Amino acid sequence: MTKRKASLALVAVLASGCIATPPTNSQINTAVRERVVNQPPANASPAPTAAPATNAAENFVVNSVAVGQNALLANNLGWTFGGKSQRGWRLYTLLINRMINTEENINTNRFAAALARWQQGAGLAPSGVLDGDTLYGMISVWQSRRIKDRIYPHPRQLITAPASEFYDPTREVELRQVEREAYNAYKRMLAAAIADKSLGLQTTANNELAASEKRLKIISSFRSREYQERLRRLSPGAGRAGLAVNSPHFTGRALDLYVGGDPVETVDWNRAIQVKTSVYKWLVKNAERFGFHPYYYEPWHWEYIPQEVK
Ligand SMILES: [Zn+2]
C-alpha cells in the first residue's frame, strides 16, 4: 500500500460524522490502534473463565498520584482533533466509563484501576492515568465501530419517515429519507426509550413522541452528496466549514438525534450540556442493543450497523 493510499484508508476509517476533521496519522500510534481495536467491546460477554471485570480491576494497584492526574487531565489534557486543539476529556466520560467497564467516578482509585486494566489489554502501560496515548487509543476503538462504507442505499431501501418524527416537522420530504433497516431499528429503540418512564418522554395516545417532545426526534438522516455539497457551500464559516465531504449520512444509516442543547453544535459548552442529558445517558447505555453506535465527538450522531456485520 502506498503512503497516500494508507493515509486515505486511515481517513476513511476515522472520517467523522457531520464534520470532517479526523486525527492525522501522526496522532494515532498505529501499533496502539491495532492492539486496541482487537480488544472485545466493553459490553461483550466475558468468557466463562474470566473473572468479573471489576474484580480484575481491583487487582491493579494504582499509584495514588493517578487519581489526581485524572482529575487534572479530564479538564486540561491537550490533544488535537483534525488539527483543532482540544482540552480535556471530560466530555467523553460516559463513553470512557463504558469502554473500561466501570461506573466509578473519574476521581476514584477504582476508576484508575479499571483504566489500568484496559490499558494493559490495549498494550499500553497500565498507569491508570488517562493520558494522550490512552485517549487516542480509545478514539481508535470508537472509530473502528462506525460505518465504513459510503455507499448510497438502493432507492428501494429508503423509506420516507413521517414529518412528525423530525425535530423540524417542516423538513422537506426528500430530507426525511432513512435506510429501512436503520429506521426500523430506530423505531424499536424509540419504543424502548418511551417505555422507560424515567426519561419522561411526552407521547401521543398511540405512544409516539408528542409534537411538543423534541428529544430523540430525528434532526437529519439520509443526505445525498449533492445536498451535502450545498450545505458546505452555504456554510463556509467556522465550524460548519468542516462538514464532511464523505459523510456516513450518505448511507441513510447515520441518524442525528436531538439529545438537548443546540442540536448539532460542537462547541464544548454545548456538548457539555448534551452529554449530561438523560436521553444521551440512555443512548450510551442502550443504543448498542439496537445496533446504534456513537460518534464520540458529536453526541447527537448515531450510526446503525446491523448486528450480523459486526
Ligand atoms: Zn450526523
Side-chain angles (χ1 to χ4, degrees), residues 7-272:
S7 123
L8 283 175
L10 184 67
V11 168
V13 170
L14 299 174
S16 60
C18 298
I19 54 177
T21 41
T24 63
N25 279 2
S26 62
Q27 289 156 357
I28 297 286
N29 176 324
T30 306
V32 168
R33 184 162 59 87
E34 283 167 2
R35 280 197 299 274
V36 290
V37 164
N38 290 331
Q39 291 298 303
N43 68 335
S45 309
T49 51
T54 46
N55 290 348
E58 284 162 13
N59 294 337
F60 278 91
V61 179
V62 180
N63 188 322
S64 60
V65 173
V67 178
Q69 282 282 301
N70 284 333
L72 283 175
L73 294 172
N75 290 313
N76 296 330
L77 177 73
W79 57 288
T80 57
F81 175 82
K84 245 177 85 184
S85 310
Q86 309 287 316
R87 198 143 286 279
W89 43 258
R90 68 201 175 285
L91 294 174
Y92 315 104
T93 303
L94 282 182
L95 296 174
I96 290 166
N97 275 351
R98 190 170 168 79
M99 173 88 76
I100 66 174
N101 206 9
T102 184
E103 293 188 355
E104 299 292 341
N105 188 287
I106 61 162
N107 300 318
T108 62
N109 259 309
R110 283 170 177 264
F111 175 89
L115 180 65
R117 179 176 179 270
W118 183 87
Q119 286 169 319
Q120 187 169 68
L124 297 162
S127 62
V129 177
L130 213 160
D131 56 10
D133 276 354
T134 306
L135 181 63
Y136 286 128
M138 288 181 169
I139 289 172
S140 296
V141 177
W142 291 322
Q143 294 292 71
S144 74
R145 297 174 187 162
R146 297 188 56 201
I147 295 172
K148 307 288 190 300
D149 69 83
R150 295 292 182 267
I151 301 165
Y152 274 177
H154 189 279
R156 274 200 312 266
Q157 276 299 104
L158 283 173
I159 58 100
T160 301
S164 60
E165 295 184 347
F166 281 77
Y167 177 80
D168 172 9
T170 67
R171 197 168 169 82
E172 308 166 51
V173 67
E174 59 269 31
L175 292 178
R176 288 196 267 114
Q177 298 181 98
V178 189
E179 193 273 334
R180 187 183 305 273
E181 298 297 318
Y183 179 71
N184 292 339
Y186 164 70
K187 292 294 282 183
R188 285 193 293 274
M189 182 166 77
L190 194 55
I194 287 170
D196 185 338
K197 297 300 174 199
S198 74
L199 294 179
L201 292 165
Q202 300 165 52
T203 56
T204 64
N206 299 330
N207 232 16
E208 302 276 353
L209 289 178
S212 55
E213 181 62 80
K214 294 292 186 194
R215 293 175 296 164
L216 294 182
K217 283 189 172 165
I218 303 169
I219 301 162
S220 183
S221 48
F222 172 69
R223 298 202 291 253
S224 68
R225 282 172 203 277
E226 295 73 22
Y227 177 74
Q228 191 82 358
E229 272 309 307
R230 224 182 323 146
L231 272 189
R232 286 164 57 80
R233 278 198 303 273
L234 287 173
S235 311
R240 286 283 170 168
L243 270 166
V245 180
N246 215 5
S247 169
H249 283 279
F250 296 160
T251 65
R253 290 182 279 122
L255 293 181
D256 293 340
L257 303 176
Y258 185 64
V259 295
D262 192 331
V264 291
E265 171 56 65
T266 50
V267 293
D268 280 11
W269 62 262
N270 188 55
R271 293 187 296 146

